[in-house]
Amino acid sequence: MPQLPIGRFPVPELNDLPEDIRARILAVQEKSGFIPNVFLVLAHRPDEFRAFFAYHDALMDKPGKLTKAEREMIVVATSNANQCQYCVVAHGAILRIRAKDPLVADQVAINYRKADITDKQKAMLDFALKVSASAWAVNEEDFGVLKRHGFGEEEAWDIAAIAAFFGMSNRLANVTSMRPNDEFYLMGRVPLQ
């Protein structure tokens, strides 16, 4: 099968990138063993690359009451609703690793309401999906549901911000025809015996 392009727009050569972007990409490659296509596709526009990953890191890597696995659940569930193949596959791989569960990412991606997750996590994803699909309709009742499940105002903001950021990311990934790396499909899965 011929090698398919990783996206619609030109991908710059690593050696042609600004030093800070090249260094970040090489650090990711060293850690993961490959370069996720999102880094290469977004490197087409260096200023936007920097802004994108600064906000990504602020949302996904900060300390807080949401676990890293829960943050990835939000990405996977909302990305499925937005029909973003890249983000469902890539963040599904990260979710399998962070949750230490090879099934949870597929369950959350397909139908989180039937997934083997807690009621609290389902309430979190209900809120995230509402933000993703109809943020204009979010109301005090929605915040009340979160509160009854133990989420405070700061967690509500985090859930909303992740859903909103990845709504933008999903749209950009779809418009650029970003392909998931083959490596993502096997990450965090149980090897066959």
Side-chain angles (χ1 to χ4, degrees):
M1 186 158 109
Q3 181 66 27
L4 296 171
I6 65 169
R8 182 184 199 294
F9 294 89
V11 174
E13 295 294 326
L14 279 176
N15 290 335
D16 295 337
L17 291 172
E19 179 55 36
D20 63 316
I21 294 175
R22 184 172 52 253
R24 171 137 190 183
I25 290 172
L26 292 174
V28 168
Q29 181 182 31
E30 185 172 326
K31 181 177 180 182
S32 65
F34 67 101
I35 301 172
N37 289 340
V38 67
F39 288 88
L40 298 172
V41 170
L42 294 182
H44 176 69
R45 294 199 164 182
D47 289 340
E48 293 171 36
F49 176 102
R50 292 179 186 103
F52 179 93
F53 283 107
Y55 197 44
H56 171 278
D57 295 349
L59 292 172
M60 301 303 285
D61 294 337
K62 72 180 214 169
K65 291 184 180 176
L66 293 181
T67 68
K68 288 189 176 197
E70 288 170 336
R71 291 170 195 272
E72 295 297 337
M73 283 180 196
I74 295 167
V75 178
V76 172
T78 58
S79 295
N80 178 50
N82 292 323
Q83 298 185 44
C84 181
Q85 181 186 46
Y86 183 89
C87 291
V88 169
V89 172
H91 289 274
I94 297 168
L95 175 55
R96 286 190 298 273
I97 291 166
R98 296 220 163 129
K100 297 176 179 55
D101 184 341
L103 302 177
V104 71
D106 291 344
Q107 292 177 342
V108 168
I110 294 165
N111 184 353
Y112 71 89
R113 291 171 189 92
K114 304 235 185 243
D116 297 327
I117 59 176
T118 67
D119 288 342
K120 180 178 181 178
Q121 290 166 334
K122 289 175 186 172
M124 171 189 77
L125 295 178
D126 284 341
F127 184 76
L129 267 289
K130 188 168 185 179
V131 168
S132 184
S134 52
W136 51 268
V138 172
N139 58 42
E140 287 305 314
E141 184 178 322
D142 298 308
F143 288 97
V145 170
L146 286 179
K147 188 174 183 176
R148 286 192 295 280
H149 282 91
F151 292 110
E153 293 290 317
E154 293 302 312
E155 291 78 45
W157 181 295
D158 288 342
I159 296 164
I162 293 166
F165 175 77
F166 278 94
M168 182 274 297
S169 177
N170 297 158
R171 285 157 180 78
L172 192 55
N174 277 323
V175 168
T176 62
S177 299
M178 196 180 303
R179 291 183 54 78
N181 301 67
D182 292 345
E183 292 89 346
F184 285 127
Y185 291 97
L186 297 178
M187 287 174 55
R189 296 202 186 270
V190 176
L192 295 174
Q193 301 291 332

